[in-house]
Every structure is written in C-alpha cells, then in structure tokens.
Amino acid sequence: MELSLPKRRKLALLFLLGVALPSLALCLLALRGIQNELALLEQRQLDGYRALADEIGDSVLTRIGQAERSLARSVVRLGDPSLTDPIPVLDSLEARHPIVDVAFFLEGDGTIRVPSTTLLFRADGELGIPEAPAWPPRLAEEMRSGQEREFRRDLPAAALLHYRRAFDATPDSMLKAQALLAMTRVQRKAGRFEGALADCEELLRSYGTIRTAEGMPLGPVASLERGAMLLSLGDSLGALEGFVDLYARLAAGAWELERAQHDFLAAQSSSAAGALSAVLHGPAADSLSRALAALGAEVAVRRERARRILLFRERSGEDLLARLAPDPGGIGDGSPRFSVDDGGRSFLVSLLDPSPSESGVWGLLLDDDYVRDTLVRPALEGGLDDGSVDWIVRGRHGGAILAGPPSPAHASPAGSPALTASFAGNFPPWLVELRPLPRSPYRLLLTSGQSVYLYMFLAIAMILGFGLVLTVRTVTRELELARMKSDFVSTVSHEFKSPLTSIHQVAEMLQRGRVPSEERRRRYYDVLLEQSSRLASLVTNVLDLARIEEGRELHPETVDLEALVQGVVDATRHRVGHEGFRITSLMGEPRPCVRADPDALGQAVSNLLDNAIRYSGEARDVQVTVGTDNGSAIVTVEDHGVGIPREEIGRVFDRFYRGGGELPRSIRGSGLGLALVKEIVEAHGGSVEATSEVGEGSTFRIKLPAHRQQHHA
C-alpha cells in the first residue's frame, strides 16, 4: 500500500537531517572561508599599494640625497682658491643630476644668487643699461654731421663718409660699434646692400657682445640686419639659414639678454625663418625647417625653466630664511627640505646646511616636473598597470598634479579613496590617492594564488547538488515504485478474487445439483475452465517475471515463427471467440525461423494479444502479422481500441504501470503483461516498440534476429 503521511514526514525529516542540513553547513563554511580570503586579498592589495608609494618615495629621496652629496663636494671645490670660474662646476652638477633644476646660493639678507649661466634670459632690468663713453669733440662733430645728412637732408652717401671717419679715428670698441652700426644703416638706405652686408658681418665678428645704449647686444641685432640684406640680394636660402642660426644661438643662450629682449629677438627670428621655410623647398630648406621646429620645442622648455628659476629667485629668499630660523631641524643627511609656495606654484628646495653662516647657504632647487613625470608617473603606471585602480597624485594644497588614465564614469566609485599614502619623509609633500575599481570578488579570487578555496567551494557545491538531485530522484522513484506496487497488490488481489469467486460459486452450484439441464452444466464447465485459465495466466505472468528477474534459463531452439504465432492466435480465438472478437493473421513470404524458447516467446505473443483484446473498447478486430525486414523477423499486433496517450507510450513496458485515464484503470489487468513481453524479447536479443493514437488503436512490434528463412510448401 502507499506510504502513510507519518512515514512521508519521517522520510522528509531524515533527508533534512542527513543531507540538507550538513550540506547547508558545508556551504556556509565554504562561503565564510571565501569571504575571509577576499578580505585578505583586499588587505594584501592595499599593503601592496602602500609599499609602492613608499618605494617611489624612497627612490625620489635617493636621487635627492645623491644630488645633495654632489653639491657638498662641489661647494668644497668652490672654496679652492685656485678655482677661478665656479660656473663649470655648477653646470656639471646640474648635468649629472637631472632632478636638480639649478644650484643656488641663499645670502644672509635673503637674496638668492644663481651663479650658473644656463638660464635662457635674465629678469627684466637685471642687466641694466651700460654707460657709453663720450665721443671726443672732433669725432662727436663727425657723428652729428653724419646724423644731420642721414635724417634731415636724406643724403646717406654723405652721411656714410662722416660715420666712416669717426669709425677709423676712435680706438674705443663701443664707439666703433656705434659708428659701424650707423654705417650699416645708411648703406642699406642707399641701396648698397653688399656693403651693408659686409658691415653686418664685421659687427657679428668683432662687436657682437657689445651692448647698445638701449642695453641690447649688437650680435643679434646685426644678425637680423644680415638676414634682411641677404633677402634684398635675393639669397632667400642664405637668409633662412641666417635666421635659423640666430634662433639656435638664442636657444643656446649665446648672449646675456633680459626676458623682454629675448622674447623680441626670438619672435623676430622664428617668424622670419617660418615665413621663408613656408615658401622655400628642397633638401636644404627642408632640413632647416625641421631644425627650426626642434629649436622651437627646446626654446619652450628652456624658457619655462628660466621663468620658474627667476620666479623662485625673486620671491622665495625671505620665505626660506623664515623656515630656517625657527626650526633648523631637517630630514635625512642633515639637509632640510622644504616646499615653498610663491607666485601660484610650489618649489621643492633642499638646503645644504640647516644653520647658515652670515654669508649664506648653498641649496638646490629641484625639478618637480622631472620628479613628477620621470620618477613618479612611470613607477605608478608600472605598478598599477592592470587597470584595477584609479590613482591621483595631489599637491600640497590638494590640487591634482598627476592622474592615471581616466576610467569609465560608471566604474569609478564615489566617496573617499581606499588608500591615501604620502611619500617617505613626506617629501615631496604630495599625497597619492588610490581608489580600487569595482571587481567581481570571485573573479578576483579566481585570478589570485588562493583560488583553491573557490574551487573547493564549487566542488563541494557540485557534489552536494549532484547528491541532492540523486537523492531526490531515488526517493521519488522509490515512492513511485511503492505506489505502483501498492496498485499491483490491489489489482492482483482483485484479479485473483474475481476468478476465484466465480469458480467457487459455479462449483458450489454444481455440487448441490442446482443446475437443471445438461446444456447449462456444460456452460458452467466452460466458465470454470475460462476462469481457471485466467487465474493460471495471472500466476504464470507473476512467476515468469520473477524468474526472468532472477535470471531464468531459456531453452532456445529453432522455431518456425509463423507456426508459433498461428498457434497462439488459434488458442486466443477459441478462448475469446464467443465475445465477438475477430482475430486475423497475415503470414508473409518467406516464413522466418528464429532461435527462441517457444514457451517464452509464445507467452510474449499471447500477452500482446490479451493486451489488444483487453483495450479494444467497442472495436472487435485484431490483426497479427508475421514477416521479415532487413534480416530480422517481425511480429506485429494491431488493434483499433482506445489507444495510448503520447506522453505515456514510453512507460507502457514498465512493471506495474497502467495508464492514468479512467478507462485503462477500469479494465482488469496487473500491469505486468507488457513488462514481461519486453523482458522475454530482450532476453532473445530482440526489441519491442509501440505506436499509438488515442481513439484509433495501438500497434506493438516485436523484432527478433532471424535464424533462417524457409518458403511455404
């Protein structure tokens, strides 16, 4: 019988205690282990970021320390009385240490001196206007006469004679340069371009460093004039070469110039050269154009450096003295390092002696661009190259001075950074903000060295899931089997009870002599025979199925399949003919023979016929066909009864299974007949299959290996 409700509850409780709860506990433990491992991975990641910031800071401090020691050695050399020019010493220091922008000397009054000559220009007004010597009276008269004829009378040729006499008579170089400059000017006005060109070249060769009354060196002025003369003579390529040469000398700092002077001369020479390079073509002109472009980039870099150093020199002296006075303590190597804010920007400064003497102290202005772009940026990009973190370097006042490549807006989390780290020694006084981007924790775990935890969890989950599915399937199958066995017991009990009741009643009537006629007695004898046969068939099916499951031994022999099937058909006709059934048989040609146990195979065919008769419904026709197909013997039993639903057709050969409809369940049967057919046929190396349509009937087809074929006699 079917499992009772208490038994079902007990089974569910056992499953819960034995499988579900332990599985849940294991899953929770595995998840807890994964969470702990993810927390450790995150902590390791943050520790790695902090170590990276410390490593970068140590690298920067190492470079600064090397430059400071180099400056200390240079200062010792500067104290050597035999050293007449300190500039090469300082220039060598700056060349060996790219982190040094410039070496400077802080005087006791706060003045900052930059002895090096590497600046592109000086501050406006720093060079001043040189005091020109007075002309002797006679020569002064010659110069006035020349100026009168040049400017008032417009007689450049006559003016040239007066200027030349003054030039030849004076021994002073500055006066000679003035006269020669005037000669160049009037010759150009007179159209004597070759003479003017010769005078320009003389100015460049002999008087290039002499400054005019306005403070402008004559060398760059003469170079501009020379280019104009070459253009007037039609030598455009020579003029281009002259303008590019002037621009190169300005980029190299060939003359001491104030900022405004340098800007004017650089603009004049570069614009003139650019205009010519736009119209001139050829290998030489193209080479000069490329040189001009390269010089432009160099001038921009050196101009910014000079502007930065001049700004530092002008505005930071008093601030440095104020920093030194109250707190002479420093950081590392006894050298104080400061960040000085002046003019809207910060300067990184290192002083050689934290206790300056009355004369002053040497120091280094560090190149923060070099620190940022050459030391910090590559280190951060190299250490954070997996794109898993946003990083920003902020300056002293919180502004971003360096940032990593932008991340998608949706991927960059808002809020405080996960880590804020300063550089070792807090110098430079910058902060590195690191904000890890959202990542799948399990993906992070998979790519880590501790992914074994996730693999263990997945393995446990898969094993538990497989066990759960297997357990559920097994329990479900056992419950279904219990239900089917319960139905079988109920059905078999009914099947046994019905023929036994009929036999008992008929036998009792015959025993007591209550049957009045011989004809009725014969009918009662037929009933006894039919019911006993039915009972015997039921017992035989049960016993045969049990024997086959236990490994029943078959006794195969060569069997004429047609004769065997015809015998079963004839017996079935005799048994059910009085109920109106018409069983027709169609035997094919040639007649197939098979190796089979005739009793077992006959029982299989008989079960198919009984099944067809039982489920024929109102129909009374059953067809049996014997034939061959590709070397196989085929037995087909076809009825036109109630049919089998398509979703149930695959289960009709299961033991104890009976259709779920009302009509199949109302028909007598044990659910073993078709199961026995399948067991017998498969034991003979064959197969059985069924096709059906509801309301149109069913067809069962046995396929057996043919032993041989013979023709009808």
Side-chain angles (χ1 to χ4, degrees), residues 589-705:
E589 177 68 24
R591 299 172 63 175
C593 292
V594 296
R595 289 287 295 178
D597 186 323
D599 294 335
L601 188 56
Q603 185 178 358
V605 177
S606 178
N607 284 357
L608 288 181
L609 282 171
D610 288 344
N611 188 77
I613 292 168
R614 188 177 298 116
Y615 293 98
S616 286
E618 298 297 329
R620 287 294 182 267
D621 291 322
V622 178
Q623 291 83 35
V624 180
T625 303
V626 178
T628 59
D629 182 17
N630 292 329
S632 297
I634 308 297
V635 178
T636 304
V637 178
E638 181 181 2
D639 65 68
H640 302 281
V642 297
I644 306 170
R646 185 167 300 178
E647 62 272 11
E648 296 182 5
I649 201 166
R651 302 183 60 190
V652 295
F653 295 103
D654 293 345
R655 284 168 287 177
F656 313 124
Y657 181 79
R658 303 188 69 202
E662 293 295 330
L663 180 59
R665 287 193 173 273
S666 65
I667 299 173
R668 296 173 301 172
S670 61
L672 292 177
L674 293 180
L676 185 59
V677 171
K678 181 180 179 182
E679 295 288 346
I680 292 173
V681 172
E682 290 182 349
H684 285 83
S687 63
V688 60
E689 61 183 23
T691 58
S692 180
E693 290 291 336
V694 175
E696 296 183 6
S698 305
T699 300
F700 289 85
R701 191 167 182 258
I702 294 176
K703 183 177 181 181
L704 295 169

Side-chain angles (χ1 to χ4, degrees), residues 482-516:
R483 185 191 65 79
M484 293 172 65
K485 287 183 177 180
S486 178
D487 289 346
F488 168 72
V489 170
S490 177
T491 302
V492 169
S493 298
H494 178 73
E495 289 293 314
F496 273 103
K497 184 177 181 181
S498 295
L500 286 174
T501 301
S502 299
I503 292 172
H504 179 75
Q505 290 176 349
V506 171
E508 184 179 6
M509 292 177 65
L510 290 174
Q511 182 185 27
R512 295 181 180 181
R514 294 180 181 179
V515 183

Side-chain angles (χ1 to χ4, degrees), residues 42 52 157 266 319 363 545 662 699:
E42 184 177 358
L52 177 63
D319 194 357
L545 184 61
E662 293 295 330
T699 300

Side-chain angles (χ1 to χ4, degrees), residues 271-294:
S271 61
L276 287 173
S277 64
V279 297
L280 294 178
H281 301 286
D286 293 342
S287 176
L288 290 171
S289 298
R290 290 191 295 271
L292 180 66

